[in-house]
PDB file of all heavy atoms in Angstrom:
ATOM      1  N   SER A  72      -4.742  69.104-143.420  1.00 92.00           N
ATOM      2  CA  SER A  72      -5.142  68.500-144.698  1.00 92.00           C
ATOM      3  C   SER A  72      -3.959  68.064-145.550  1.00 92.00           C
ATOM      4  O   SER A  72      -4.143  67.587-146.667  1.00 92.00           O
ATOM      5  CB  SER A  72      -6.000  69.497-145.495  1.00 92.00           C
ATOM      6  OG  SER A  72      -5.261  70.661-145.825  1.00 92.00           O
ATOM      7  N   GLN A  73      -2.743  68.170-145.034  1.00 94.00           N
ATOM      8  CA  GLN A  73      -1.565  67.750-145.794  1.00 94.00           C
ATOM      9  C   GLN A  73      -1.487  66.218-145.895  1.00 94.00           C
ATOM     10  O   GLN A  73      -2.061  65.492-145.093  1.00 94.00           O
ATOM     11  CB  GLN A  73      -0.284  68.263-145.109  1.00 94.00           C
ATOM     12  CG  GLN A  73      -0.107  69.762-145.159  1.00 94.00           C
ATOM     13  CD  GLN A  73       1.203  70.158-144.511  1.00 94.00           C
ATOM     14  OE1 GLN A  73       2.253  70.150-145.149  1.00 94.00           O
ATOM     15  NE2 GLN A  73       1.143  70.503-143.235  1.00 94.00           N
ATOM     16  N   GLU A  74      -0.736  65.787-146.871  1.00 95.00           N
ATOM     17  CA  GLU A  74      -0.523  64.349-147.057  1.00 95.00           C
ATOM     18  C   GLU A  74       0.122  63.722-145.820  1.00 95.00           C
ATOM     19  O   GLU A  74      -0.237  62.620-145.404  1.00 95.00           O
ATOM     20  CB  GLU A  74       0.365  64.122-148.290  1.00 95.00           C
ATOM     21  CG  GLU A  74       0.459  62.682-148.749  1.00 95.00           C
ATOM     22  CD  GLU A  74      -0.805  62.197-149.435  1.00 95.00           C
ATOM     23  OE1 GLU A  74      -1.585  63.037-149.912  1.00 95.00           O
ATOM     24  OE2 GLU A  74      -0.998  60.968-149.488  1.00 95.00           O
ATOM     25  N   ASP A  75       1.078  64.430-145.215  1.00 95.00           N
ATOM     26  CA  ASP A  75       1.823  63.875-144.091  1.00 95.00           C
ATOM     27  C   ASP A  75       0.993  63.759-142.807  1.00 95.00           C
ATOM     28  O   ASP A  75       1.408  63.072-141.867  1.00 95.00           O
ATOM     29  CB  ASP A  75       3.062  64.731-143.799  1.00 95.00           C
ATOM     30  CG  ASP A  75       4.131  64.591-144.869  1.00 95.00           C
ATOM     31  OD1 ASP A  75       4.087  63.597-145.613  1.00 95.00           O
ATOM     32  OD2 ASP A  75       4.996  65.489-144.975  1.00 95.00           O
ATOM     33  N   THR A  76      -0.146  64.423-142.744  1.00 95.00           N
ATOM     34  CA  THR A  76      -0.976  64.354-141.536  1.00 95.00           C
ATOM     35  C   THR A  76      -2.182  63.426-141.723  1.00 95.00           C
ATOM     36  O   THR A  76      -3.109  63.444-140.923  1.00 95.00           O
ATOM     37  CB  THR A  76      -1.467  65.753-141.122  1.00 95.00           C
ATOM     38  OG1 THR A  76      -2.138  66.362-142.233  1.00 95.00           O
ATOM     39  CG2 THR A  76      -0.305  66.620-140.680  1.00 95.00           C
ATOM     40  N   ARG A  77      -2.157  62.610-142.766  1.00 95.00           N
ATOM     41  CA  ARG A  77      -3.274  61.683-143.010  1.00 95.00           C
ATOM     42  C   ARG A  77      -3.510  60.754-141.819  1.00 95.00           C
ATOM     43  O   ARG A  77      -4.642  60.441-141.463  1.00 95.00           O
ATOM     44  CB  ARG A  77      -3.014  60.856-144.271  1.00 95.00           C
ATOM     45  CG  ARG A  77      -4.213  59.998-144.690  1.00 95.00           C
ATOM     46  CD  ARG A  77      -3.863  59.090-145.863  1.00 95.00           C
ATOM     47  NE  ARG A  77      -3.399  59.846-147.010  1.00 95.00           N
ATOM     48  CZ  ARG A  77      -4.214  60.399-147.905  1.00 95.00           C
ATOM     49  NH1 ARG A  77      -5.525  60.296-147.758  1.00 95.00           N
ATOM     50  NH2 ARG A  77      -3.722  61.049-148.930  1.00 95.00           N
ATOM     51  N   GLY A  78      -2.431  60.320-141.198  1.00 95.00           N
ATOM     52  CA  GLY A  78      -2.578  59.431-140.043  1.00 95.00           C
ATOM     53  C   GLY A  78      -3.375  60.077-138.917  1.00 95.00           C
ATOM     54  O   GLY A  78      -4.195  59.427-138.263  1.00 95.00           O
ATOM     55  N   LEU A  79      -3.142  61.367-138.690  1.00 94.00           N
ATOM     56  CA  LEU A  79      -3.914  62.081-137.672  1.00 94.00           C
ATOM     57  C   LEU A  79      -5.381  62.143-138.047  1.00 94.00           C
ATOM     58  O   LEU A  79      -6.264  61.953-137.211  1.00 94.00           O
ATOM     59  CB  LEU A  79      -3.365  63.502-137.507  1.00 94.00           C
ATOM     60  CG  LEU A  79      -1.936  63.645-136.985  1.00 94.00           C
ATOM     61  CD1 LEU A  79      -1.514  65.117-137.017  1.00 94.00           C
ATOM     62  CD2 LEU A  79      -1.840  63.099-135.567  1.00 94.00           C
ATOM     63  N   ARG A  80      -5.658  62.407-139.323  1.00 95.00           N
ATOM     64  CA  ARG A  80      -7.047  62.497-139.769  1.00 95.00           C
ATOM     65  C   ARG A  80      -7.742  61.143-139.653  1.00 95.00           C
ATOM     66  O   ARG A  80      -8.909  61.066-139.273  1.00 95.00           O
ATOM     67  CB  ARG A  80      -7.116  63.022-141.205  1.00 95.00           C
ATOM     68  CG  ARG A  80      -6.547  64.431-141.362  1.00 95.00           C
ATOM     69  CD  ARG A  80      -6.981  65.070-142.676  1.00 95.00           C
ATOM     70  NE  ARG A  80      -6.593  64.303-143.850  1.00 95.00           N
ATOM     71  CZ  ARG A  80      -5.414  64.383-144.444  1.00 95.00           C
ATOM     72  NH1 ARG A  80      -4.472  65.179-143.954  1.00 95.00           N
ATOM     73  NH2 ARG A  80      -5.163  63.674-145.524  1.00 95.00           N
ATOM     74  N   LEU A  81      -7.036  60.092-139.999  1.00 96.00           N
ATOM     75  CA  LEU A  81      -7.609  58.750-139.841  1.00 96.00           C
ATOM     76  C   LEU A  81      -7.957  58.480-138.381  1.00 96.00           C
ATOM     77  O   LEU A  81      -9.014  57.920-138.070  1.00 96.00           O
ATOM     78  CB  LEU A  81      -6.618  57.698-140.351  1.00 96.00           C
ATOM     79  CG  LEU A  81      -6.476  57.575-141.871  1.00 96.00           C
ATOM     80  CD1 LEU A  81      -5.204  56.821-142.218  1.00 96.00           C
ATOM     81  CD2 LEU A  81      -7.689  56.858-142.457  1.00 96.00           C
ATOM     82  N   HIS A  82      -7.072  58.888-137.499  1.00 96.00           N
ATOM     83  CA  HIS A  82      -7.282  58.623-136.079  1.00 96.00           C
ATOM     84  C   HIS A  82      -8.514  59.359-135.558  1.00 96.00           C
ATOM     85  O   HIS A  82      -9.379  58.762-134.910  1.00 96.00           O
ATOM     86  CB  HIS A  82      -6.051  59.035-135.277  1.00 96.00           C
ATOM     87  CG  HIS A  82      -6.174  58.771-133.816  1.00 96.00           C
ATOM     88  ND1 HIS A  82      -6.257  57.496-133.291  1.00 96.00           N
ATOM     89  CD2 HIS A  82      -6.252  59.608-132.753  1.00 96.00           C
ATOM     90  CE1 HIS A  82      -6.373  57.565-131.978  1.00 96.00           C
ATOM     91  NE2 HIS A  82      -6.378  58.842-131.630  1.00 96.00           N
ATOM     92  N   VAL A  83      -8.628  60.637-135.858  1.00 95.00           N
ATOM     93  CA  VAL A  83      -9.764  61.389-135.322  1.00 95.00           C
ATOM     94  C   VAL A  83     -11.062  61.013-136.034  1.00 95.00           C
ATOM     95  O   VAL A  83     -12.144  61.092-135.438  1.00 95.00           O
ATOM     96  CB  VAL A  83      -9.520  62.918-135.391  1.00 95.00           C
ATOM     97  CG1 VAL A  83      -8.348  63.301-134.519  1.00 95.00           C
ATOM     98  CG2 VAL A  83      -9.304  63.397-136.823  1.00 95.00           C
ATOM     99  N   ASP A  84     -10.971  60.583-137.306  1.00 96.00           N
ATOM    100  CA  ASP A  84     -12.167  60.134-138.021  1.00 96.00           C
ATOM    101  C   ASP A  84     -12.767  58.905-137.332  1.00 96.00           C
ATOM    102  O   ASP A  84     -13.980  58.719-137.321  1.00 96.00           O
ATOM    103  CB  ASP A  84     -11.795  59.794-139.472  1.00 96.00           C
ATOM    104  CG  ASP A  84     -12.924  60.069-140.451  1.00 96.00           C
ATOM    105  OD1 ASP A  84     -13.685  61.028-140.226  1.00 96.00           O
ATOM    106  OD2 ASP A  84     -13.030  59.341-141.461  1.00 96.00           O
ATOM    107  N   TYR A  85     -11.893  58.075-136.772  1.00 97.00           N
ATOM    108  CA  TYR A  85     -12.355  56.920-136.001  1.00 97.00           C
ATOM    109  C   TYR A  85     -12.766  57.306-134.583  1.00 97.00           C
ATOM    110  O   TYR A  85     -13.804  56.874-134.079  1.00 97.00           O
ATOM    111  CB  TYR A  85     -11.255  55.858-135.908  1.00 97.00           C
ATOM    112  CG  TYR A  85     -11.544  54.798-134.877  1.00 97.00           C
ATOM    113  CD1 TYR A  85     -12.436  53.776-135.159  1.00 97.00           C
ATOM    114  CD2 TYR A  85     -10.963  54.842-133.608  1.00 97.00           C
ATOM    115  CE1 TYR A  85     -12.743  52.812-134.204  1.00 97.00           C
ATOM    116  CE2 TYR A  85     -11.264  53.900-132.651  1.00 97.00           C
ATOM    117  CZ  TYR A  85     -12.150  52.882-132.951  1.00 97.00           C
ATOM    118  OH  TYR A  85     -12.462  51.948-132.006  1.00 97.00           O
ATOM    119  N   LEU A  86     -11.965  58.149-133.937  1.00 97.00           N
ATOM    120  CA  LEU A  86     -12.103  58.362-132.500  1.00 97.00           C
ATOM    121  C   LEU A  86     -13.352  59.146-132.119  1.00 97.00           C
ATOM    122  O   LEU A  86     -14.009  58.823-131.119  1.00 97.00           O
ATOM    123  CB  LEU A  86     -10.864  59.074-131.962  1.00 97.00           C
ATOM    124  CG  LEU A  86     -10.740  59.157-130.443  1.00 97.00           C
ATOM    125  CD1 LEU A  86     -10.714  57.772-129.820  1.00 97.00           C
ATOM    126  CD2 LEU A  86      -9.494  59.939-130.051  1.00 97.00           C
ATOM    127  N   LYS A  87     -13.708  60.162-132.886  1.00 97.00           N
ATOM    128  CA  LYS A  87     -14.865  60.977-132.502  1.00 97.00           C
ATOM    129  C   LYS A  87     -16.138  60.129-132.398  1.00 97.00           C
ATOM    130  O   LYS A  87     -16.812  60.162-131.356  1.00 97.00           O
ATOM    131  CB  LYS A  87     -15.049  62.139-133.486  1.00 97.00           C
ATOM    132  CG  LYS A  87     -16.248  63.015-133.127  1.00 97.00           C
ATOM    133  CD  LYS A  87     -16.431  64.153-134.115  1.00 97.00           C
ATOM    134  CE  LYS A  87     -17.664  64.971-133.765  1.00 97.00           C
ATOM    135  NZ  LYS A  87     -17.885  66.091-134.719  1.00 97.00           N
ATOM    136  N   PRO A  88     -16.525  59.372-133.427  1.00 97.00           N
ATOM    137  CA  PRO A  88     -17.718  58.532-133.272  1.00 97.00           C
ATOM    138  C   PRO A  88     -17.571  57.490-132.174  1.00 97.00           C
ATOM    139  O   PRO A  88     -18.534  57.209-131.443  1.00 97.00           O
ATOM    140  CB  PRO A  88     -17.865  57.861-134.645  1.00 97.00           C
ATOM    141  CG  PRO A  88     -17.104  58.732-135.575  1.00 97.00           C
ATOM    142  CD  PRO A  88     -15.978  59.291-134.786  1.00 97.00           C
ATOM    143  N   GLU A  89     -16.383  56.929-132.038  1.00 97.00           N
ATOM    144  CA  GLU A  89     -16.182  55.896-131.028  1.00 97.00           C
ATOM    145  C   GLU A  89     -16.475  56.430-129.630  1.00 97.00           C
ATOM    146  O   GLU A  89     -17.181  55.798-128.837  1.00 97.00           O
ATOM    147  CB  GLU A  89     -14.746  55.371-131.109  1.00 97.00           C
ATOM    148  CG  GLU A  89     -14.376  54.358-130.028  1.00 97.00           C
ATOM    149  CD  GLU A  89     -15.156  53.070-130.137  1.00 97.00           C
ATOM    150  OE1 GLU A  89     -15.727  52.784-131.215  1.00 97.00           O
ATOM    151  OE2 GLU A  89     -15.227  52.338-129.125  1.00 97.00           O
ATOM    152  N   LEU A  90     -15.947  57.600-129.313  1.00 97.00           N
ATOM    153  CA  LEU A  90     -16.150  58.167-127.982  1.00 97.00           C
ATOM    154  C   LEU A  90     -17.613  58.525-127.746  1.00 97.00           C
ATOM    155  O   LEU A  90     -18.160  58.300-126.652  1.00 97.00           O
ATOM    156  CB  LEU A  90     -15.271  59.397-127.797  1.00 97.00           C
ATOM    157  CG  LEU A  90     -13.758  59.142-127.791  1.00 97.00           C
ATOM    158  CD1 LEU A  90     -13.002  60.452-127.623  1.00 97.00           C
ATOM    159  CD2 LEU A  90     -13.361  58.149-126.706  1.00 97.00           C
ATOM    160  N   LEU A  91     -18.284  59.050-128.767  1.00 97.00           N
ATOM    161  CA  LEU A  91     -19.687  59.431-128.602  1.00 97.00           C
ATOM    162  C   LEU A  91     -20.598  58.205-128.512  1.00 97.00           C
ATOM    163  O   LEU A  91     -21.575  58.201-127.759  1.00 97.00           O
ATOM    164  CB  LEU A  91     -20.113  60.340-129.749  1.00 97.00           C
ATOM    165  CG  LEU A  91     -19.531  61.752-129.671  1.00 97.00           C
ATOM    166  CD1 LEU A  91     -19.787  62.522-130.962  1.00 97.00           C
ATOM    167  CD2 LEU A  91     -20.111  62.506-128.483  1.00 97.00           C
ATOM    168  N   LEU A  92     -20.293  57.150-129.262  1.00 97.00           N
ATOM    169  CA  LEU A  92     -21.072  55.917-129.148  1.00 97.00           C
ATOM    170  C   LEU A  92     -20.945  55.338-127.744  1.00 97.00           C
ATOM    171  O   LEU A  92     -21.931  54.886-127.145  1.00 97.00           O
ATOM    172  CB  LEU A  92     -20.613  54.902-130.199  1.00 97.00           C
ATOM    173  CG  LEU A  92     -21.016  55.217-131.644  1.00 97.00           C
ATOM    174  CD1 LEU A  92     -20.252  54.323-132.609  1.00 97.00           C
ATOM    175  CD2 LEU A  92     -22.512  55.054-131.844  1.00 97.00           C
ATOM    176  N   ARG A  93     -19.734  55.359-127.207  1.00 96.00           N
ATOM    177  CA  ARG A  93     -19.549  54.881-125.828  1.00 96.00           C
ATOM    178  C   ARG A  93     -20.319  55.757-124.846  1.00 96.00           C
ATOM    179  O   ARG A  93     -20.948  55.258-123.916  1.00 96.00           O
ATOM    180  CB  ARG A  93     -18.065  54.907-125.468  1.00 96.00           C
ATOM    181  CG  ARG A  93     -17.216  53.861-126.149  1.00 96.00           C
ATOM    182  CD  ARG A  93     -15.803  53.966-125.590  1.00 96.00           C
ATOM    183  NE  ARG A  93     -14.810  53.366-126.458  1.00 96.00           N
ATOM    184  CZ  ARG A  93     -13.507  53.501-126.294  1.00 96.00           C
ATOM    185  NH1 ARG A  93     -13.036  54.240-125.292  1.00 96.00           N
ATOM    186  NH2 ARG A  93     -12.649  52.914-127.117  1.00 96.00           N
ATOM    187  N   GLU A  94     -20.237  57.073-125.049  1.00 96.00           N
ATOM    188  CA  GLU A  94     -20.902  58.012-124.142  1.00 96.00           C
ATOM    189  C   GLU A  94     -22.402  57.751-124.074  1.00 96.00           C
ATOM    190  O   GLU A  94     -23.023  57.894-123.019  1.00 96.00           O
ATOM    191  CB  GLU A  94     -20.636  59.438-124.619  1.00 96.00           C
ATOM    192  CG  GLU A  94     -21.241  60.525-123.753  1.00 96.00           C
ATOM    193  CD  GLU A  94     -20.944  61.903-124.305  1.00 96.00           C
ATOM    194  OE1 GLU A  94     -19.775  62.159-124.676  1.00 96.00           O
ATOM    195  OE2 GLU A  94     -21.886  62.718-124.376  1.00 96.00           O
ATOM    196  N   HIS A  95     -22.984  57.346-125.204  1.00 95.00           N
ATOM    197  CA  HIS A  95     -24.424  57.081-125.245  1.00 95.00           C
ATOM    198  C   HIS A  95     -24.768  55.628-124.927  1.00 95.00           C
ATOM    199  O   HIS A  95     -25.933  55.239-125.025  1.00 95.00           O
ATOM    200  CB  HIS A  95     -24.981  57.464-126.613  1.00 95.00           C
ATOM    201  CG  HIS A  95     -25.122  58.956-126.793  1.00 95.00           C
ATOM    202  ND1 HIS A  95     -26.286  59.636-126.515  1.00 95.00           N
ATOM    203  CD2 HIS A  95     -24.227  59.895-127.179  1.00 95.00           C
ATOM    204  CE1 HIS A  95     -26.115  60.921-126.743  1.00 95.00           C
ATOM    205  NE2 HIS A  95     -24.869  61.110-127.148  1.00 95.00           N
ATOM    206  N   GLY A  96     -23.770  54.848-124.562  1.00 94.00           N
ATOM    207  CA  GLY A  96     -24.025  53.476-124.143  1.00 94.00           C
ATOM    208  C   GLY A  96     -24.382  52.526-125.258  1.00 94.00           C
ATOM    209  O   GLY A  96     -25.021  51.492-125.015  1.00 94.00           O
ATOM    210  N   ILE A  97     -23.983  52.829-126.494  1.00 96.00           N
ATOM    211  CA  ILE A  97     -24.290  51.953-127.625  1.00 96.00           C
ATOM    212  C   ILE A  97     -23.346  50.757-127.594  1.00 96.00           C
ATOM    213  O   ILE A  97     -22.147  50.890-127.832  1.00 96.00           O
ATOM    214  CB  ILE A  97     -24.153  52.708-128.969  1.00 96.00           C
ATOM    215  CG1 ILE A  97     -24.980  53.985-128.960  1.00 96.00           C
ATOM    216  CG2 ILE A  97     -24.557  51.791-130.118  1.00 96.00           C
ATOM    217  CD1 ILE A  97     -26.448  53.808-128.701  1.00 96.00           C
ATOM    218  N   ARG A  98     -23.912  49.593-127.294  1.00 94.00           N
ATOM    219  CA  ARG A  98     -23.089  48.383-127.165  1.00 94.00           C
ATOM    220  C   ARG A  98     -22.977  47.640-128.495  1.00 94.00           C
ATOM    221  O   ARG A  98     -21.891  47.284-128.940  1.00 94.00           O
ATOM    222  CB  ARG A  98     -23.706  47.464-126.106  1.00 94.00           C
ATOM    223  CG  ARG A  98     -23.828  48.082-124.716  1.00 94.00           C
ATOM    224  CD  ARG A  98     -22.543  47.961-123.944  1.00 94.00           C
ATOM    225  NE  ARG A  98     -22.158  46.591-123.720  1.00 94.00           N
ATOM    226  CZ  ARG A  98     -22.679  45.784-122.769  1.00 94.00           C
ATOM    227  NH1 ARG A  98     -23.615  46.256-121.953  1.00 94.00           N
ATOM    228  NH2 ARG A  98     -22.252  44.550-122.619  1.00 94.00           N
ATOM    229  N   HIS A  99     -24.122  47.360-129.101  1.00 96.00           N
ATOM    230  CA  HIS A  99     -24.154  46.575-130.343  1.00 96.00           C
ATOM    231  C   HIS A  99     -25.191  47.153-131.299  1.00 96.00           C
ATOM    232  O   HIS A  99     -26.057  47.944-130.899  1.00 96.00           O
ATOM    233  CB  HIS A  99     -24.454  45.107-130.049  1.00 96.00           C
ATOM    234  CG  HIS A  99     -23.387  44.436-129.240  1.00 96.00           C
ATOM    235  ND1 HIS A  99     -22.124  44.206-129.725  1.00 96.00           N
ATOM    236  CD2 HIS A  99     -23.400  43.970-127.973  1.00 96.00           C
ATOM    237  CE1 HIS A  99     -21.400  43.610-128.792  1.00 96.00           C
ATOM    238  NE2 HIS A  99     -22.152  43.464-127.718  1.00 96.00           N
ATOM    239  N   THR A 100     -25.101  46.730-132.564  1.00 97.00           N
ATOM    240  CA  THR A 100     -25.971  47.310-133.585  1.00 97.00           C
ATOM    241  C   THR A 100     -26.525  46.241-134.527  1.00 97.00           C
ATOM    242  O   THR A 100     -25.914  45.190-134.731  1.00 97.00           O
ATOM    243  CB  THR A 100     -25.200  48.343-134.437  1.00 97.00           C
ATOM    244  OG1 THR A 100     -24.073  47.701-135.052  1.00 97.00           O
ATOM    245  CG2 THR A 100     -24.733  49.514-133.588  1.00 97.00           C
ATOM    246  N   ILE A 101     -27.688  46.555-135.081  1.00 98.00           N
ATOM    247  CA  ILE A 101     -28.223  45.839-136.231  1.00 98.00           C
ATOM    248  C   ILE A 101     -28.023  46.769-137.414  1.00 98.00           C
ATOM    249  O   ILE A 101     -28.630  47.838-137.498  1.00 98.00           O
ATOM    250  CB  ILE A 101     -29.723  45.514-136.058  1.00 98.00           C
ATOM    251  CG1 ILE A 101     -29.965  44.732-134.761  1.00 98.00           C
ATOM    252  CG2 ILE A 101     -30.236  44.758-137.281  1.00 98.00           C
ATOM    253  CD1 ILE A 101     -29.306  43.369-134.703  1.00 98.00           C
ATOM    254  N   VAL A 102     -27.129  46.410-138.314  1.00 98.00           N
ATOM    255  CA  VAL A 102     -26.787  47.270-139.442  1.00 98.00           C
ATOM    256  C   VAL A 102     -27.780  47.004-140.576  1.00 98.00           C
ATOM    257  O   VAL A 102     -27.972  45.861-140.993  1.00 98.00           O
ATOM    258  CB  VAL A 102     -25.351  47.005-139.918  1.00 98.00           C
ATOM    259  CG1 VAL A 102     -25.031  47.855-141.148  1.00 98.00           C
ATOM    260  CG2 VAL A 102     -24.355  47.299-138.794  1.00 98.00           C
ATOM    261  N   VAL A 103     -28.419  48.075-141.055  1.00 98.00           N
ATOM    262  CA  VAL A 103     -29.424  47.957-142.111  1.00 98.00           C
ATOM    263  C   VAL A 103     -28.976  48.765-143.315  1.00 98.00           C
ATOM    264  O   VAL A 103     -28.688  49.961-143.198  1.00 98.00           O
ATOM    265  CB  VAL A 103     -30.810  48.450-141.632  1.00 98.00           C
ATOM    266  CG1 VAL A 103     -31.841  48.303-142.756  1.00 98.00           C
ATOM    267  CG2 VAL A 103     -31.257  47.682-140.390  1.00 98.00           C
ATOM    268  N   PHE A 104     -28.918  48.090-144.464  1.00 97.00           N
ATOM    269  CA  PHE A 104     -28.561  48.738-145.713  1.00 97.00           C
ATOM    270  C   PHE A 104     -29.626  48.465-146.748  1.00 97.00           C
ATOM    271  O   PHE A 104     -30.345  47.473-146.679  1.00 97.00           O
ATOM    272  CB  PHE A 104     -27.212  48.221-146.221  1.00 97.00           C
ATOM    273  CG  PHE A 104     -26.085  49.171-145.944  1.00 97.00           C
ATOM    274  CD1 PHE A 104     -25.491  49.211-144.698  1.00 97.00           C
ATOM    275  CD2 PHE A 104     -25.638  50.032-146.924  1.00 97.00           C
ATOM    276  CE1 PHE A 104     -24.456  50.087-144.437  1.00 97.00           C
ATOM    277  CE2 PHE A 104     -24.600  50.922-146.665  1.00 97.00           C
ATOM    278  CZ  PHE A 104     -24.010  50.952-145.429  1.00 97.00           C
TER     279      PHE A 104
END
Side-chain angles (χ1 to χ4, degrees):
S72 63
Q73 292 182 85
E74 191 74 21
D75 289 341
T76 55
R77 187 186 302 276
L79 296 174
R80 298 196 302 275
L81 285 163
H82 181 66
V83 296
D84 212 34
Y85 167 78
L86 190 59
K87 180 181 178 181
E89 175 65 19
L90 294 179
L91 287 170
L92 288 167
R93 289 184 200 170
E94 181 181 314
H95 284 267
I97 307 302
R98 301 276 298 281
H99 296 293
T100 58
I101 304 297
V102 177
V103 180
F104 258 81

